[in-house]
Amino acid sequence: MVNTLEADWYVDSEIYARERDRIFHPSWWLMGPSHLVSNPGDYLCDRICGWPVFVLRSQDGKLRAFLNVCRHRGATLLTKGYGGGINSVRCPYHGWLYDDHGRLQNTPKFGEELGDEKKSLSLHQIDVHVWNGLVFVKIARDKGVGFDEWLGEVSGLCADFPGPSSLDYYGEFTVEGELNWKTYCDNTVEGYHLNLIHPRLGTALAGGDVQLFSVNDGRSVAFDITHGASGGAREARGAKGLWVYHFPGLQLVLGDKIFKAERVESNNSNHLRSINWAWYGELDEAAKHEAFAWGKQIVEEDFGICAEVTRNLRAGVFTPGPLSPSMEKHVARFQQIVKDILLNGE
Ligand code: FES
Ligand SMILES: [Fe+2]
């Protein structure tokens, strides 16, 4: 029988620092919907695992991504989540100005002319990629793999379902709390908790008897959420549906009339934030509202139980328990992946 990880893995800030460096830094992260940066001058900005990032559609039509940090003394450059109509970025602290390629243009009242040094003070550029109506970024330029390799077989799973390009964008919601990111992932890759934590979802999915399978050598776990869907759920999801987790922080809900993308990220061992963007097909407003609210309720239910688990792990009273070989095999695999990366530097 495989046991859960020791509680320390969820608490220790040294372990979190290694996770941030080895898992989060080289990974691709969902930044937001690409329709928000469709025109030159449009931008998106946010923090991902603490790293300040912005993505900007330059006047030449190309999408570029940068660390959102001034090269002078570290101020945050763009502060609003998204916007448009900019062809340069001025630092709000001392007014340094960067063009939309990230190049330092001028440094008002700096005094000594920077001369050639200016060229070395461009914003730090990071990788950006658009897939299926979604913008992704990768913080580490010198680590990790290309986007397609990272996503692997998940793109094939999505091919059978409509994406943002054929659905209507509805809105976004955020859920944030004090929990360790791995408690949420442990939870997310098993259907064992479904009936008790999500009674409404359990009923809609025929008593929570969901089929799970993994691809990408266990880095992605998918639930078939077609079975037994009834009422509002069936209306929103249509005849078939799939829910997908992709390591380390991407989740997708796929259906005939729904697409939801979620980024799950943290900035310390006791923090988690889930940002969700939802699109719907031909549904009336009430059904969209209902599906959106229910999606949020499910995330909140998971956050609730995982925050309780995290509190107990932090209290130092938990000794590892056994994982069910049938119900929790994907949890065991997820934990093994984390261990391999942290212990072997894989
Ligand atoms: S920190 Fe940006 S101009 Fe000084
Ligand atoms: Fe759940």
Side-chain angles (χ1 to χ4, degrees):
M1 196 87 71
V2 177
N3 273 347
T4 59
L5 293 172
E6 299 274 346
D8 256 12
W9 282 77
Y10 298 82
V11 177
D12 190 337
S13 56
E14 289 294 315
I15 286 181
Y16 179 81
R18 264 158 60 203
E19 290 170 339
R20 191 168 180 268
D21 178 51
R22 295 189 186 181
I23 297 175
F24 304 154
H25 201 217
S27 180
W28 285 90
W29 291 95
L30 171 59
M31 185 79 189
S34 64
H35 73 260
L36 293 175
V37 283
S38 50
N39 299 312
D42 288 348
Y43 68 88
L44 281 170
C45 79
D46 206 345
R47 279 181 188 269
I48 296 180
C49 304
W51 289 291
V53 171
F54 76 91
V55 171
L56 170 66
R57 176 83 60 192
S58 309
Q59 296 302 314
D60 64 6
K62 210 176 156 212
L63 205 56
R64 292 182 168 83
F66 304 94
L67 294 183
N68 191 13
V69 182
C70 182
R71 295 295 309 277
H72 177 218
R73 276 176 40 211
T76 303
L77 296 165
L78 295 170
T79 51
K80 212 165 137 252
Y82 62 90
I86 61 170
N87 57 17
S88 60
V89 178
R90 185 177 292 283
C91 178
Y93 199 177
H94 311 98
W96 283 25
L97 184 76
Y98 301 87
D99 71 9
D100 65 5
H101 288 49
R103 296 171 295 213
L104 181 59
Q105 294 301 294
N106 64 53
T107 55
K109 299 185 191 166
F110 186 75
E112 292 295 311
E113 188 51 55
L114 275 169
D116 275 357
E117 214 184 324
K118 238 186 203 171
K119 290 200 186 82
S120 66
L121 291 169
S122 295
L123 297 178
H124 292 300
Q125 200 162 354
I126 60 171
D127 292 331
V128 60
H129 187 87
V130 175
W131 169 79
N132 200 22
L134 304 170
V135 180
F136 289 81
V137 294
K138 178 164 75 67
I139 315 293
R141 285 222 111 172
D142 54 343
K143 290 190 283 184
V145 297
F147 180 83
D148 292 340
E149 189 180 338
W150 173 76
L151 194 65
E153 295 167 71
V154 170
S155 68
L157 297 179
C158 295
D160 291 342
F161 295 92
S165 62
S166 52
L167 300 171
D168 295 327
Y169 181 64
Y170 186 78
E172 83 173 75
F173 68 83
T174 297
V175 180
E176 195 159 9
E178 292 186 346
L179 53 153
N180 182 270
W181 74 280
K182 294 191 297 300
T183 62
Y184 192 75
C185 296
D186 288 342
N187 170 79
T188 234
V189 296
E190 49 93 346
Y192 197 11
H193 72 279
L194 227 133
N195 281 327
L196 291 175
I197 301 301
H198 314 294
R200 184 178 167 195
L201 185 61
T203 307
L205 297 178
D209 183 20
V210 290
Q211 306 296 314
L212 279 84
F213 61 95
S214 71
V215 294
N216 288 329
D217 197 22
R219 284 173 183 253
S220 318
V221 176
F223 280 56
D224 186 334
I225 50 175
T226 302
H227 302 290
S230 61
R234 177 173 280 288
E235 204 196 333
R237 296 204 177 99
K240 58 179 183 176
L242 206 60
W243 170 97
V244 182
Y245 164 73
H246 184 57
F247 187 87
L250 175 68
Q251 304 209 57
L252 303 169
V253 176
L254 310 166
D256 285 346
K257 296 179 183 174
I258 181 173
F259 181 86
K260 184 165 86 71
E262 175 183 3
R263 178 176 91 228
V264 192
E265 42 105 6
S266 60
N267 56 36
N268 65 55
S269 69
N270 193 30
H271 167 259
L272 195 70
R273 183 164 69 126
S274 154
I275 306 116
N276 298 256
W277 293 270
W279 289 256
Y280 299 108
E282 283 174 20
L283 292 171
D284 62 40
E285 276 310 303
K288 288 179 185 174
H289 181 82
E290 166 68 10
F292 189 76
W294 191 14
K296 187 169 185 221
Q297 182 190 337
I298 291 169
V299 176
E300 286 170 343
E301 287 165 348
D302 285 325
F303 263 62
I305 188 64
C306 294
E308 280 304 309
V309 168
T310 300
R311 280 172 71 186
N312 292 334
L313 295 169
R314 296 181 73 82
V317 292
F318 179 75
T319 49
L323 291 170
S324 159
S326 57
M327 300 296 274
E328 294 167 302
K329 64 175 183 234
H330 301 295
V331 180
R333 179 68 191 128
F334 165 76
Q335 298 187 349
Q336 190 59 48
I337 290 169
V338 172
K339 268 167 106 171
D340 284 348
I341 296 173
L342 262 59
L343 299 178
N344 308 327
E346 200 180 78

